[in-house]
Amino acid sequence: MKATFLGHATVYLETSDTKILIDPFLTGNPKAAAKAEDLNPQFIVITHGHDDHTADAVPIAKRTGATIITTYELSVWLSSQGVKTSGQNHGGWCKYPFGAVKFTPAFHSSSTTDERGRPIYLGEPAGAIIQMKNGVVFHAGDTALFSDMKLIGEDVAIDLAFLPIGEHYVMGPKDAAKAVEFLHPKVVVPIHYGTFPPLVGDPKEFARLAGKEAKVVILQPGESVDI
Ligand code: NI
Ligand code: MN
């Protein structure tokens, strides 16, 4: 399986028969390494409702017919815009042709805004465990550190984890390194830093702190890891 970091928190998973796009934010993303119209996923996994995780989901799903796998309230919101969705909630596996998905807790928020800029709440944010034939990927979504990450690490053997390290809205490098201790993935890729000025978390600091616990791979947008 090839996992490509497309900038911010957007990840593209490709196997011989399946393409899964996670948290698509390409349009308006200054670090985007792809154009929304060049991606052809069969599935789109979304962790929460913020625009920097959902921006291109509806146009891509409409063009490709992809099914959006996400949390229940966000799935209802997206369905109302005319796309196919599979709404799950935290803690239960749901099977798909490529394998299975389970949403984990995330300490964050999940909303969009209406036409006057007022927040519309879209249920609870999540992380996503994506189990595929070739391995298990964990995308933590946006989150603070929490000790129940230990349970996620005990639940599945994570081959590849994507963890936010940006500070301000999400964990910084120190807390993210602690999360690596709890999750013990084989390989971890830091994400959600450097896109906008508040996201000051330094991936080199994260690599220094987390390097004892897992193999840390710092990907520039557009670069991939194979698992
Ligand atoms: Ni967010
Ligand atoms: Mn975010």
mmCIF file of all heavy atoms in Angstrom, residues 8-9 48 50 52-53 108 142 169-170 192, ligand 2:
data_model
loop_
_atom_site.group_PDB
_atom_site.id
_atom_site.type_symbol
_atom_site.label_atom_id
_atom_site.label_comp_id
_atom_site.label_asym_id
_atom_site.label_seq_id
_atom_site.Cartn_x
_atom_site.Cartn_y
_atom_site.Cartn_z
ATOM 1 N N HIS A 8 -1.231 19.352 4.808
ATOM 2 C CA HIS A 8 -2.103 19.569 5.974
ATOM 3 C C HIS A 8 -2.479 18.238 6.639
ATOM 4 O O HIS A 8 -1.611 17.624 7.247
ATOM 5 C CB HIS A 8 -3.323 20.412 5.590
ATOM 6 C CG HIS A 8 -4.012 20.992 6.779
ATOM 7 N ND1 HIS A 8 -3.371 21.803 7.670
ATOM 8 C CD2 HIS A 8 -5.284 20.859 7.240
ATOM 9 C CE1 HIS A 8 -4.217 22.159 8.640
ATOM 10 N NE2 HIS A 8 -5.382 21.588 8.397
ATOM 11 N N ALA A 9 -3.728 17.777 6.504
ATOM 12 C CA ALA A 9 -4.093 16.474 7.092
ATOM 13 C C ALA A 9 -4.614 15.525 6.023
ATOM 14 O O ALA A 9 -5.234 14.506 6.332
ATOM 15 C CB ALA A 9 -5.150 16.666 8.176
ATOM 16 N N HIS A 48 -13.752 14.839 10.878
ATOM 17 C CA HIS A 48 -14.630 15.827 11.520
ATOM 18 C C HIS A 48 -14.986 16.914 10.525
ATOM 19 O O HIS A 48 -14.482 16.929 9.398
ATOM 20 C CB HIS A 48 -14.001 16.390 12.801
ATOM 21 C CG HIS A 48 -12.755 17.199 12.594
ATOM 22 N ND1 HIS A 48 -11.563 16.656 12.174
ATOM 23 C CD2 HIS A 48 -12.515 18.528 12.782
ATOM 24 C CE1 HIS A 48 -10.653 17.613 12.110
ATOM 25 N NE2 HIS A 48 -11.203 18.748 12.460
ATOM 26 N N HIS A 50 -14.647 20.273 10.227
ATOM 27 C CA HIS A 50 -13.969 21.538 9.910
ATOM 28 C C HIS A 50 -13.532 21.589 8.451
ATOM 29 O O HIS A 50 -13.139 20.566 7.867
ATOM 30 C CB HIS A 50 -12.756 21.724 10.839
ATOM 31 C CG HIS A 50 -13.154 21.942 12.269
ATOM 32 N ND1 HIS A 50 -12.359 21.586 13.327
ATOM 33 C CD2 HIS A 50 -14.293 22.464 12.801
ATOM 34 C CE1 HIS A 50 -12.982 21.905 14.459
ATOM 35 N NE2 HIS A 50 -14.162 22.434 14.166
ATOM 36 N N ASP A 52 -10.980 22.536 6.932
ATOM 37 C CA ASP A 52 -9.636 22.085 6.555
ATOM 38 C C ASP A 52 -9.527 20.558 6.550
ATOM 39 O O ASP A 52 -8.421 20.015 6.427
ATOM 40 C CB ASP A 52 -8.559 22.725 7.450
ATOM 41 C CG ASP A 52 -8.698 22.373 8.912
ATOM 42 O OD1 ASP A 52 -9.836 22.324 9.418
ATOM 43 O OD2 ASP A 52 -7.665 22.137 9.571
ATOM 44 N N HIS A 53 -10.678 19.877 6.646
ATOM 45 C CA HIS A 53 -10.726 18.405 6.548
ATOM 46 C C HIS A 53 -11.795 17.925 5.566
ATOM 47 O O HIS A 53 -11.834 16.760 5.212
ATOM 48 C CB HIS A 53 -10.963 17.790 7.936
ATOM 49 C CG HIS A 53 -9.851 18.123 8.876
ATOM 50 N ND1 HIS A 53 -8.858 17.231 9.213
ATOM 51 C CD2 HIS A 53 -9.534 19.296 9.488
ATOM 52 C CE1 HIS A 53 -7.983 17.836 10.017
ATOM 53 N NE2 HIS A 53 -8.375 19.088 10.191
ATOM 54 N N HIS A 108 -11.478 17.315 20.396
ATOM 55 C CA HIS A 108 -11.444 18.424 19.455
ATOM 56 C C HIS A 108 -12.874 18.922 19.333
ATOM 57 O O HIS A 108 -13.663 18.746 20.263
ATOM 58 C CB HIS A 108 -10.865 17.886 18.126
ATOM 59 C CG HIS A 108 -10.509 18.917 17.115
ATOM 60 N ND1 HIS A 108 -9.521 19.847 17.312
ATOM 61 C CD2 HIS A 108 -11.005 19.158 15.857
ATOM 62 C CE1 HIS A 108 -9.424 20.608 16.223
ATOM 63 N NE2 HIS A 108 -10.322 20.223 15.341
ATOM 64 N N ASP A 142 -7.978 15.582 14.130
ATOM 65 C CA ASP A 142 -7.447 16.661 14.963
ATOM 66 C C ASP A 142 -7.735 16.266 16.401
ATOM 67 O O ASP A 142 -8.877 15.942 16.744
ATOM 68 C CB ASP A 142 -8.169 17.977 14.668
ATOM 69 C CG ASP A 142 -7.693 18.642 13.386
ATOM 70 O OD1 ASP A 142 -6.780 18.108 12.740
ATOM 71 O OD2 ASP A 142 -8.255 19.703 13.053
ATOM 72 N N TYR A 169 -4.476 24.327 17.670
ATOM 73 C CA TYR A 169 -5.764 23.632 17.552
ATOM 74 C C TYR A 169 -5.650 22.146 17.882
ATOM 75 O O TYR A 169 -6.668 21.465 18.047
ATOM 76 C CB TYR A 169 -6.316 23.741 16.128
ATOM 77 C CG TYR A 169 -6.531 25.145 15.645
ATOM 78 C CD1 TYR A 169 -5.704 25.695 14.669
ATOM 79 C CD2 TYR A 169 -7.570 25.932 16.143
ATOM 80 C CE1 TYR A 169 -5.893 26.986 14.208
ATOM 81 C CE2 TYR A 169 -7.769 27.223 15.694
ATOM 82 C CZ TYR A 169 -6.928 27.750 14.727
ATOM 83 O OH TYR A 169 -7.115 29.029 14.267
ATOM 84 N N VAL A 170 -4.444 21.646 17.889
ATOM 85 C CA VAL A 170 -4.186 20.197 18.032
ATOM 86 C C VAL A 170 -2.948 19.996 18.906
ATOM 87 O O VAL A 170 -2.321 20.954 19.329
ATOM 88 C CB VAL A 170 -3.945 19.540 16.648
ATOM 89 C CG1 VAL A 170 -5.198 19.583 15.788
ATOM 90 C CG2 VAL A 170 -2.772 20.207 15.929
ATOM 91 N N HIS A 192 -0.530 18.153 9.902
ATOM 92 C CA HIS A 192 -1.273 19.284 10.481
ATOM 93 C C HIS A 192 -0.334 20.290 11.160
ATOM 94 O O HIS A 192 -0.559 20.711 12.277
ATOM 95 C CB HIS A 192 -2.345 18.773 11.462
ATOM 96 C CG HIS A 192 -3.554 19.672 11.591
ATOM 97 N ND1 HIS A 192 -3.526 20.845 12.298
ATOM 98 C CD2 HIS A 192 -4.823 19.552 11.122
ATOM 99 C CE1 HIS A 192 -4.735 21.405 12.255
ATOM 100 N NE2 HIS A 192 -5.538 20.645 11.546
HETATM 101 MN MN MN B 2 -7.776 20.829 11.357
#
